[in-house]
Amino acid sequence: MFGLRAYPTPIVKPLWPFMISGVFVIWGVSKLQSAALQNPEFAKDPRNPYAASAAKAEAHH
């Protein structure tokens, strides 16, 4: 009588295209970000979190 009633409400079935597209968007933004961080224009920027490793790799060659 009290509490939650068991209704067969589909949640994942109508939302699966949005979940898949969300994964692709996150993957694409990650690839774009890593490409931008390795750009020579921003490679020597001290705010770049990969600047130290890029400088070390460049000095090693």
Side-chain angles (χ1 to χ4, degrees), residues 41-53:
E41 183 179 350
F42 300 109
K44 296 186 180 3
D45 191 358
R47 294 174 293 176
N48 186 347
Y50 301 108
S53 63

Side-chain angles (χ1 to χ4, degrees), residues 29-40:
V29 169
S30 172
K31 294 295 273 188
L32 184 64
Q33 180 184 9
S34 65
L37 286 175
Q38 295 173 359
N39 188 1

